[in-house]
Amino acid sequence: MITVDLHPIFKNNRDIELTLRQTLFRAAHTGEDVVEFIPGKGSGQLKQRVLAFLAQKHIKKLYHAVETPTGNSGRVIVRMTAPGSRSAAS
Protein backbone atom coordinates (compact mmCIF):
# COMPACT_ATOMS: atom_id res chain seq x y z
CA MET A 1 0.00 0.00 0.00
CA ILE A 2 1.17 3.49 -0.84
CA THR A 3 -0.04 6.20 1.55
CA VAL A 4 0.10 9.89 0.67
CA ASP A 5 -0.74 12.67 3.14
CA LEU A 6 -2.00 15.68 1.17
CA HIS A 7 -2.01 18.12 4.11
CA PRO A 8 1.40 19.71 3.30
CA ILE A 9 0.30 20.70 -0.24
CA PHE A 10 -3.40 21.43 0.24
CA LYS A 11 -3.17 25.07 -0.92
CA ASN A 12 -1.51 24.40 -4.28
CA ASN A 13 -3.82 22.88 -6.92
CA ARG A 14 -0.93 22.12 -9.29
CA ASP A 15 1.00 20.24 -6.58
CA ILE A 16 -2.09 18.29 -5.56
CA GLU A 17 -2.79 17.11 -9.11
CA LEU A 18 0.88 16.33 -9.75
CA THR A 19 1.11 14.31 -6.54
CA LEU A 20 -2.08 12.38 -7.29
CA ARG A 21 -0.99 11.65 -10.87
CA GLN A 22 2.56 10.60 -9.95
CA THR A 23 1.36 8.38 -7.12
CA LEU A 24 -1.22 6.57 -9.25
CA PHE A 25 1.19 6.03 -12.13
CA ARG A 26 3.90 4.81 -9.74
CA ALA A 27 1.44 2.37 -8.15
CA ALA A 28 0.34 1.11 -11.57
CA HIS A 29 3.95 0.72 -12.70
CA THR A 30 5.10 -1.14 -9.59
CA GLY A 31 1.99 -3.32 -9.31
CA GLU A 32 0.84 -1.83 -6.01
CA ASP A 33 -2.73 -2.91 -5.30
CA VAL A 34 -3.89 -0.12 -2.94
CA VAL A 35 -3.22 3.61 -2.70
CA GLU A 36 -4.42 5.60 0.29
CA PHE A 37 -4.78 9.37 0.00
CA ILE A 38 -5.24 11.34 3.21
CA PRO A 39 -6.92 14.67 2.49
CA GLY A 40 -8.03 14.98 6.12
CA LYS A 41 -11.46 15.78 7.45
CA GLY A 42 -11.52 19.59 7.48
CA SER A 43 -14.10 21.26 5.26
CA GLY A 44 -14.06 18.45 2.72
CA GLN A 45 -12.78 20.59 -0.16
CA LEU A 46 -9.50 18.72 -0.54
CA LYS A 47 -11.31 15.38 -0.51
CA GLN A 48 -13.63 16.66 -3.24
CA ARG A 49 -10.60 17.68 -5.33
CA VAL A 50 -9.19 14.17 -4.95
CA LEU A 51 -12.50 12.56 -5.95
CA ALA A 52 -12.87 14.90 -8.93
CA PHE A 53 -9.36 14.03 -10.10
CA LEU A 54 -10.08 10.31 -9.76
CA ALA A 55 -13.30 10.71 -11.78
CA GLN A 56 -11.40 11.73 -14.92
CA LYS A 57 -11.84 9.17 -17.70
CA HIS A 58 -8.13 8.66 -18.39
CA ILE A 59 -7.38 8.24 -14.67
CA LYS A 60 -10.23 5.75 -14.14
CA LYS A 61 -8.37 3.30 -16.38
CA LEU A 62 -5.72 2.90 -13.67
CA TYR A 63 -8.01 1.64 -10.90
CA HIS A 64 -11.13 -0.41 -10.38
CA ALA A 65 -12.60 1.05 -7.17
CA VAL A 66 -12.53 4.12 -4.94
CA GLU A 67 -13.61 3.81 -1.33
CA THR A 68 -14.30 6.51 1.22
CA PRO A 69 -14.54 4.66 4.54
CA THR A 70 -17.55 5.72 6.58
CA GLY A 71 -15.64 5.43 9.86
CA ASN A 72 -12.84 7.71 8.67
CA SER A 73 -13.93 10.44 6.27
CA GLY A 74 -10.38 11.78 6.07
CA ARG A 75 -9.20 8.95 3.80
CA VAL A 76 -9.70 7.94 0.18
CA ILE A 77 -8.73 4.37 -0.73
CA VAL A 78 -8.01 3.52 -4.37
CA ARG A 79 -8.00 -0.14 -5.42
CA MET A 80 -5.70 -0.40 -8.40
CA THR A 81 -6.40 -2.47 -11.51
CA ALA A 82 -4.21 -5.55 -11.80
CA PRO A 83 -1.38 -4.89 -14.31
CA GLY A 84 -2.41 -7.72 -16.64
CA SER A 85 -6.06 -6.68 -16.83
CA ARG A 86 -5.46 -3.00 -17.62
CA SER A 87 -5.41 -3.51 -21.39
CA ALA A 88 -8.65 -5.50 -21.26
CA ALA A 89 -10.43 -2.64 -19.48
CA SER A 90 -9.47 -0.05 -22.12
Side-chain angles (χ1 to χ4, degrees), residues 2-4 9 13 15 27 31 33-34 44 50 53 60 62 70 74-75 88:
I2 297 174
T3 301
V4 179
I9 58 169
N13 285 333
D15 285 349
D33 58 344
V34 177
V50 171
F53 175 84
K60 281 182 154 184
L62 298 173
T70 54
R75 295 178 10 180

Side-chain angles (χ1 to χ4, degrees), residues 22-80:
Q22 286 177 339
T23 303
L24 289 174
F25 279 100
R26 183 176 74 230
H29 179 72
T30 61
E32 200 67 49
D33 58 344
V34 177
V35 176
E36 176 185 46
F37 292 110
I38 303 174
K41 294 180 181 178
S43 68
Q45 289 182 340
L46 183 53
K47 181 177 179 179
Q48 290 308 313
R49 284 191 217 168
V50 171
L51 294 174
F53 175 84
L54 293 171
Q56 296 178 70
K57 187 176 180 178
H58 65 285
I59 298 298
K60 281 182 154 184
K61 293 179 183 180
L62 298 173
Y63 67 87
H64 70 87
V66 173
E67 303 168 10
T68 53
T70 54
N72 186 350
S73 61
R75 295 178 10 180
V76 176
I77 308 286
V78 180
R79 306 268 177 206
M80 301 299 291

